[in-house]
Amino acid sequence: MKVTCPGCQAKINVKDIKNIKKKGLQVEKQCPSCHVWFSLNTTLSFMKMLGVSLLLITSLLNLSGTNSEYSLLFSSLGFVGIVIALLITFFGKNEIVAKQKN
Ligand SMILES: [Zn+2]
């Protein structure tokens, strides 16, 4: 999987990113060529989390043997959730993280 650096527009292989910081929902990555820190847009990160949660919740509900009337609905919702999460993973735009002074 490749991401585009918002600083130098280089296509970076995710495996080449050595420096990663986790800040709650946000994951900040450092570009190996221009050393700028970037992360996914906050709204997109939140929606991605929401999509993944939707899949987890609906899968759990289906496993717990909820009324079968609803299981199709839950499966559909879970599918929508994972599609959203995948779309954001592949097409979500990265933003430069404001530089912090040390
Ligand atoms: Zn860069």
Side-chain angles (χ1 to χ4, degrees):
M1 200 186 124
K2 287 194 171 159
V3 291
T4 306
C5 169
C8 63
Q9 308 301 319
K11 296 251 189 279
I12 316 155
N13 198 318
V14 173
K15 286 174 198 154
D16 293 335
I17 299 173
K18 300 276 187 292
N19 296 323
I20 293 171
K21 273 194 282 189
K22 286 200 175 176
K23 281 187 180 175
L25 275 184
Q26 287 289 82
V27 181
E28 296 179 1
K29 302 175 185 112
Q30 192 180 32
C31 171
S33 56
C34 70
H35 305 290
V36 86
W37 286 89
F38 62 91
S39 74
L40 203 60
N41 182 292
T42 321
T43 318
L44 288 178
S45 305
F46 180 72
M47 283 180 64
K48 188 175 158 184
M49 280 290 296
L50 214 66
V52 174
S53 318
L54 198 64
L55 177 77
L56 284 175
I57 294 164
T58 51
S59 309
L60 281 175
L61 285 171
N62 273 349
L63 280 175
S64 63
T66 326
N67 200 329
S68 58
E69 267 179 62
Y70 296 109
S71 70
L72 185 68
L73 175 73
F74 290 149
S75 302
S76 317
L77 277 175
F79 182 72
V80 170
I82 200 64
V83 167
I84 291 172
L86 281 175
L87 282 177
I88 293 172
T89 304
F90 287 105
F91 302 110
K93 285 258 182 285
N94 287 297
E95 289 179 334
I96 296 177
V97 177
K99 272 182 196 157
Q100 292 144 351
K101 287 190 176 133
N102 295 319

